[in-house]
Amino acid sequence: MPSQFRIPKATLDGAYGAIMTRVARRMWGQVPDNAYVLWHHLPVAKAVFGFEQKVARWKALDPHLKAYAEMAAAGAIGCSWCLDFGYFMAHTKGLDESKVREVPRWRESDAFTDLERDVMAYAEAMTVTPPTVTDETVADLDRQLGHAAMVELTMMVAIENERSRFNSALGLASQGFSDVCELPLAQAGTISR
């Protein structure tokens, strides 16, 4: 289902719009729908784009765990745009597509290690309202990952919550980014809370 823009798409105009369009097409093959929405408030758009560039440089957390955590949070929120884009990004980074595609049904899948399951459970526990994160969960993950990776994991889940809630609230849906991937995303399983 294509995006049902709850506010109209803005025109990416001016020099900055031309650069943004060119960069987006080179990086992702098309302009993300959320750029058309953000463009209505250029200072917000610039802040988000700048922040996302900085976030992309964080390296304390294993990229596989980061992708699983982001997609688990997006799945818990129900953001099809974020799952679509997340799967595309995992594909372009060379992550194992057969595992990434299983994230929406990670509880039923036998593709994941115990640590990967712990990371996805943490992402979901952070995402539900109110959050259900426990002291024990944080202590266990911190022991396995280390402080820097634990901080990065927590921030990545928080950022994915921001992305997913923004995109979902404004009617953005799967845009076809994951069409380049070899395998379709698995259908969502059940979330036990």
Side-chain angles (χ1 to χ4, degrees), residues 104-108 124 187-192:
R105 54 176 230 99
W106 68 268
R107 281 188 172 78
E108 293 85 16
E124 288 184 359
Q187 293 299 309
T190 56
I191 296 177
S192 303

Side-chain angles (χ1 to χ4, degrees), residues 39-166:
W39 206 259
H40 284 291
H41 194 309
L42 202 50
V44 171
K46 288 179 178 180
V48 169
F49 299 151
F51 180 68
E52 288 289 352
Q53 287 177 328
K54 291 176 182 175
V55 168
R57 292 192 291 266
W58 297 347
K59 303 291 183 217
L61 182 63
D62 176 274
H64 294 85
L65 296 177
K66 189 179 298 189
Y68 302 153
E70 289 173 303
M71 292 182 73
I77 291 169
C79 181
S80 68
W81 191 96
C82 295
L83 287 171
D84 175 45
F85 191 74
Y87 191 27
F88 168 80
M89 291 303 295
H91 167 81
T92 62
K93 292 176 183 175
L95 302 182
D96 182 352
E97 287 182 32
S98 63
K99 282 183 82 167
V100 173
R101 74 176 296 276
E102 290 292 309
V103 171
R105 54 176 230 99
W106 68 268
R107 281 188 172 78
E108 293 85 16
S109 175
D110 60 359
F112 300 103
T113 67
D114 289 341
L115 176 58
E116 292 164 344
R117 291 176 182 285
D118 290 347
V119 163
M120 289 183 282
Y122 180 67
E124 288 184 359
M126 277 186 65
T127 300
V128 296
T129 303
T132 58
V133 174
T134 65
D135 293 342
E136 296 78 20
T137 299
V138 173
D140 185 49
L141 277 170
D142 185 49
R143 181 185 53 75
Q144 294 180 74
L145 298 173
H147 301 322
M150 186 64 197
V151 169
E152 187 172 321
L153 169 63
T154 303
M155 187 54 71
M156 288 311 307
V157 174
I159 291 167
E160 187 55 47
N161 268 264
E162 174 192 3
R163 293 171 182 150
S164 292
R165 292 178 191 284
F166 179 88

Side-chain angles (χ1 to χ4, degrees), residues 37 45 139 168:
V37 173
S168 294

